[in-house]
Amino acid sequence: MIDLHSHSIFSDGTDTPEAMALAADAAGLTALALTDHDTLAGLDRFMAMQPRVATRLVPGAELSCRFMGRPLHMLGLFLRFKDPLLVERMASMHRLRLERNRTMVRRLRDRGVAITWEELAAEAPTDLISRTHFARVLVRNGAAGSPEDAFRRLIGDDSPCYVPFPELSPATAAVWIRAAGGVAVVAHPGRGFPRGFRWDQAMQDLKAQGVHGFEAYYPDYGPLEERYFLQLAETLDLVPSGGSDYHGGHKPGQRLGVGRGGLRVPDEVFGRLATLARP
Ligand code: AMP
Ligand code: MN
Ligand code: MN
Ligand code: MN
């Protein structure tokens, strides 16, 4: 069993990279990828754990992109994470995220919602602030009843105070990932897009733009959706990847490797992706 999608304290998870490597080992996972949002900051600590665990540790990241007007996430796996160009590119993302966050705080405050920059910075364990941290501050301040409520009314993809990142196209993300020897995998297709969205056509486009695969295994998928994406991967000759999207305490009930219990990403997926990487 493998898990190629997870988050630590370096984005919006609650576990350290060390704890995650140890937990994956204890759970008997063959491989675990750390894929924090728009940052490489946790990878040094994560990869330093390799001599202590049998689980193959995979350095990755989840890049925020836009595709056909909707947010799309692109996983980069097997990244040469010390590659200077990649490091600089990711630093530029970090600056854009910072600006985006400041704009969101302003929008919320303009609507009379109680939130300060200082509260937000204190909520995040590292200098990467995500909407997950916004949601927690909004709940604590009584501006939302729950994180779900905060996303529904204030900061979700279709909400008034949400500000998307300046466009990073999937093609650009694929270029960044490939230039660092990595493999580009579209995260959780089907999430954040309207029902009936033509993923068959979209994936064909994305393949032409440099994508190697997409997640066909994901905790939120029902059996029909999983079968649909597995079939689509086979038809288009793309690799069907997958993972738990583990966030520790920020996504309760979601466990490394198994998701809510039923997730199983076959070991052979690791081999297929590793073959495509250029270490
Ligand atoms: P950001 O990258 O700062 O825009 O934040 C995106 C993160 O917010 C995602 O990775 C999720 O962890 C979380 N998120 C997005 N939408 C929702 C939602 N509707 N409910 C709960 N969490 C969400
Ligand atoms: Mn997240
Ligand atoms: Mn995502
Ligand atoms: Mn994720």
Side-chain angles (χ1 to χ4, degrees), residues 32-82:
L32 172 68
L34 180 63
T35 55
D36 277 313
H37 296 285
D38 305 322
T39 182
L40 307 167
L43 294 176
D44 255 328
R45 282 172 54 174
F46 185 61
M47 296 311 289
M49 291 297 286
Q50 187 63 87
R52 295 178 51 192
V53 298
T55 305
R56 288 285 302 272
L57 303 179
V58 178
E62 184 175 15
L63 306 192
S64 305
C65 304
R66 272 184 104 66
F67 178 62
M68 300 181 75
R70 306 291 310 168
L72 178 127
H73 290 173
M74 185 78 72
L75 298 168
L77 301 173
F78 302 96
L79 295 173
R80 275 190 258 110
F81 63 96
K82 293 180 200 230

Side-chain angles (χ1 to χ4, degrees), residues 7 11-12 37 62 130 132 245 247:
H7 299 271
S11 62
D12 55 353
H37 296 285
E62 184 175 15
S130 97
T132 303
D245 206 0
H247 282 67

Side-chain angles (χ1 to χ4, degrees), residues 7-14 36-37 97 100-101 104-105 108 115-117 119-141 147 150-151 155 247 250:
H7 299 271
S8 76
I9 52 168
F10 284 91
S11 62
D12 55 353
T14 55
D36 277 313
H37 296 285
R97 173 179 282 276
R100 188 287 301 252
N101 287 341
M104 279 185 61
V105 170
L108 286 161
I115 190 165
T116 66
W117 182 255
E119 288 170 325
L120 207 46
E123 180 64 36
T126 69
D127 67 352
L128 190 136
I129 297 173
S130 97
R131 282 184 285 158
T132 303
H133 305 112
F134 275 82
R136 293 180 79 85
V137 172
L138 291 169
V139 171
R140 184 147 23 82
N141 289 356
F151 275 98
I155 59 171
H247 282 67
H250 284 169

